[in-house]
Amino acid sequence: MKKVTLWTRQDIRSLDEIKTKGVFRVKRKYIEEQYEDIANHYIPLYEWFVAEASKRVPKPEGVEFPIWCSISEENMLRPIENTVVYVLEVDESEVIYFDGMKWDYVLNHLYIPKDEEDLKEYQRDLERKGFKDSFSFVEGKYAKLYPEEKKRVMDSWTRIFEIDDWNIFRVQANIWEIRKDMIKDILYYEG
């Protein structure tokens, strides 16, 4: 089985979980702690991601959310205070690759076009229907008024898993858990 190297920055307390349980998994409370007041924006989008990603790589029982990883050392998040970076060796079959730039569309509740022509057609269609933008369909004043437009936007989001430009700045990876046997190295903050 092909192995890939991934890097992920996590709260330093994750070391205790790995030591005591042999595995680290992201829990909802961790996201709430990290994002505080805006956690309610992220959590439904992460839940959407979980549902879609688990169709590609089955989610183990008990996992709540994925672990965001970098595919390159050059582009990884460096350790900061109260964090560590795990250098992982993972079976490629356990990795969910996606386009991080397209993920930004999801975070902003935007339609992800197939290509330039699809984008132009989508914009023309919105204009014909009298809409000024598309981000109000998912959450906001139009969310309940136009369920078909909301569905159209959200259906486009699966395109995050279609990687058109494979490079270290666009491609990100997710895994469901960090097990002891995956850890090649741990990088600590050296303030």
Side-chain angles (χ1 to χ4, degrees):
M1 187 151 315
K2 184 180 176 199
K3 300 270 191 182
V4 295
T5 303
L6 301 174
W7 293 259
T8 184
R9 182 173 68 195
Q10 298 297 325
D11 188 289
I12 199 158
R13 293 172 290 182
S14 62
L15 291 168
D16 294 333
E17 272 191 58
I18 289 172
K19 188 177 177 184
T20 58
K21 299 177 184 170
V23 67
F24 171 72
R25 294 174 167 174
V26 173
K27 294 176 177 53
R28 181 188 186 101
K29 69 179 182 179
Y30 301 163
I31 296 168
E32 290 170 341
E33 194 177 282
Q34 181 180 352
Y35 291 113
E36 297 175 345
D37 294 346
I38 58 170
N40 288 337
H41 171 76
Y42 285 99
I43 289 172
L45 300 173
Y46 285 7
E47 289 171 338
W48 172 87
F49 186 95
V50 167
E52 288 302 317
S54 60
K55 293 175 187 174
R56 289 150 177 83
V57 175
K59 180 175 71 72
E61 188 71 32
V63 168
E64 289 182 59
F65 292 100
I67 296 169
W68 249 251
C69 299
S70 177
I71 63 165
S72 73
E73 187 171 12
E74 299 88 347
N75 205 36
M76 73 173 188
L77 295 175
R78 305 286 186 253
I80 58 174
E81 199 171 351
N82 297 317
T83 71
V84 293
V85 170
Y86 294 98
V87 182
L88 306 171
E89 193 171 78
V90 182
D91 287 341
E92 193 166 44
S93 64
E94 295 183 57
V95 180
I96 305 144
Y97 292 107
F98 65 100
D99 186 319
M101 293 181 94
K102 290 179 183 177
W103 174 247
D104 287 344
Y105 282 72
V106 175
L107 291 177
N108 290 293
H109 300 149
L110 297 171
Y111 177 81
I112 301 175
K114 291 179 205 149
D115 52 32
E116 268 312 304
E117 189 50 45
D118 185 51
L119 176 60
K120 288 176 187 167
E121 177 52 40
Y122 180 69
Q123 290 169 334
R124 282 192 295 268
D125 190 48
L126 287 181
E127 241 175 73
R128 278 193 300 273
K129 293 175 179 175
F131 299 125
K132 288 186 173 83
D133 60 62
S134 66
F135 57 82
S136 301
F137 298 129
V138 176
E139 192 178 272
K141 61 183 177 181
Y142 299 129
K144 292 190 178 21
L145 297 175
Y146 302 102
E148 68 286 343
E149 293 298 331
K150 177 179 180 174
K151 182 178 180 341
R152 183 178 182 190
V153 170
M154 291 182 74
D155 286 351
S156 78
W157 292 352
T158 59
R159 294 187 185 120
I160 67 170
F161 301 106
E162 298 167 13
I163 300 171
D164 311 313
D165 182 13
W166 191 276
N167 72 64
I168 62 169
F169 304 107
R170 285 188 78 116
V171 178
Q172 295 178 22
N174 264 284
I175 55 176
W176 293 119
E177 60 190 4
I178 298 172
R179 297 182 306 275
K180 275 184 185 176
D181 64 303
M182 295 172 159
I183 302 170
K184 280 180 34 181
D185 198 6
I186 300 173
L187 310 176
Y188 294 86
Y189 174 65
E190 296 176 4

